[in-house]
């Protein structure tokens, strides 16, 4: 309801074209497409992440991606991470899918999804990159990385498109289970620049 109302308000204000970055909600995209009659585009930063993983030293891996694993923290991120995985063109890399169950407002339980293409036994020593579209409180990402530490990874990297963490979230993400945070800085605040 809120997304549709927001789209209608933008239209009433005279906006005729909307471009979003990494909006993973099919429902919201559908509403904006309907309100703007096709004048809506959602940009997904596949190429930026792929280029960075292939050409930086943020992770280490062998020929064909041996020793690298990409991780979707939940089913909502599965298609995005799978597309990244395919785009990397590293046939020996691994793909894992986690599943989260909310047990409270800020509590989640993390487990390996039964549909995951790789098992924990196959990930020992791998550098693992966990992707998500945004972060606020940090609870899910910290618990996911703590869960992944069970396999003794080489390095655990959290890659997030929209880094909009609260003070509480920033404090939580200082957890030792996250070795590095990679963000596109789509929300360029002074605090983000200072942290980076």
């Amino acid at each position: 309801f809120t997304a549709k109302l927001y789209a209608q308000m933008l239209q009433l204000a005279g906006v005729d074209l909307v471009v979003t970055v990494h909006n993973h909600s099919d429902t919201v995209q559908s509403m904006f497409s309907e309100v703007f009659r096709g004048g809506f585009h959602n940009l997904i930063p596949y190429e930026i992440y792929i280029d960075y993983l292939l050409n930086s030293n943020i992770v280490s891996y062998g020929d064909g991606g041996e020793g690298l694993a990409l991780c979707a923290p939940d089913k909502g991120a599965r298609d995005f991470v799978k597309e990244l995985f395919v785009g990397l063109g590293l046939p020996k890399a691994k793909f894992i899918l986690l599943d989260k169950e909310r047990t409270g407002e800020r509590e989640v339980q993390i487990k390996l999804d039964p549909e995951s293409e790789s098992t924990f036994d196959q990930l020992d020593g791998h550098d693992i990159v966990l992707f998500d579209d945004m972060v606020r409180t940090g609870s899910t990402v910290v618990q996911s990385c703590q869960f992944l530490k069970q396999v003794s990874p080489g390095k655990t990297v959290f890659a997030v498109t929209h880094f909009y963490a609260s003070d509480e979230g920033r404090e939580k993400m200082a957890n030792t289970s996250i070795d590095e945070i990679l963000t596109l800085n789509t929300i360029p605040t002074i605090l983000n620049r200072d942290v980076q």
Side-chain angles (χ1 to χ4, degrees), residues 26-185:
D26 292 333
T27 304
V28 170
Q29 291 181 56
S30 177
M31 286 180 196
F32 270 78
S33 290
E34 179 184 318
V35 170
F36 288 97
R37 297 180 189 92
F40 169 74
H41 304 283
N42 183 38
L43 307 178
I44 307 291
Y46 297 118
E47 292 84 6
I48 295 171
Y49 282 124
I50 290 168
D51 181 70
Y52 198 77
L53 289 176
L54 291 175
N55 297 302
S56 75
N57 62 356
I58 196 165
V59 289
S60 299
Y61 54 87
D63 292 338
E66 189 172 9
L68 175 65
L70 301 190
C71 177
D74 55 34
K75 290 183 180 178
R78 174 190 287 188
D79 292 341
F80 169 67
V81 180
K82 190 64 175 174
E83 188 76 26
L84 278 173
F85 180 77
V86 170
L88 276 172
L90 298 172
K92 293 183 181 175
K94 305 279 189 229
F95 175 78
I96 57 171
L97 175 62
L98 300 182
D99 196 13
K100 66 181 175 185
E101 179 182 323
R102 292 211 177 270
T103 56
E105 185 179 334
R106 294 185 179 187
E107 298 295 321
V108 294
Q109 184 177 17
I110 307 297
K111 61 183 180 180
L112 189 66
D113 192 285
E115 296 177 23
S116 183
E117 294 182 12
S118 297
T119 64
F120 262 15
D121 297 340
Q122 299 169 317
L123 299 177
D124 189 44
H126 283 59
D127 280 3
I128 301 174
V129 184
L130 182 138
F131 289 91
D132 216 343
D133 61 326
M134 67 178 296
V135 63
R136 279 189 305 261
T137 67
S139 296
T140 300
V141 66
V142 169
Q143 289 186 23
S144 295
C145 288
Q146 288 172 334
F147 180 75
L148 292 170
K149 285 291 185 180
Q150 295 176 64
V151 299
S152 301
K155 188 177 190 181
T156 306
V157 176
F158 173 48
V160 58
T161 301
H162 309 296
F163 191 84
Y164 188 67
S166 61
D167 289 341
E168 172 194 2
R170 290 174 188 276
E171 189 175 318
K172 280 183 187 174
M173 286 185 286
N175 191 290
T176 58
S177 64
I178 304 173
D179 295 311
E180 193 146 358
I181 298 173
L182 169 64
T183 177
L184 298 186
N185 201 23

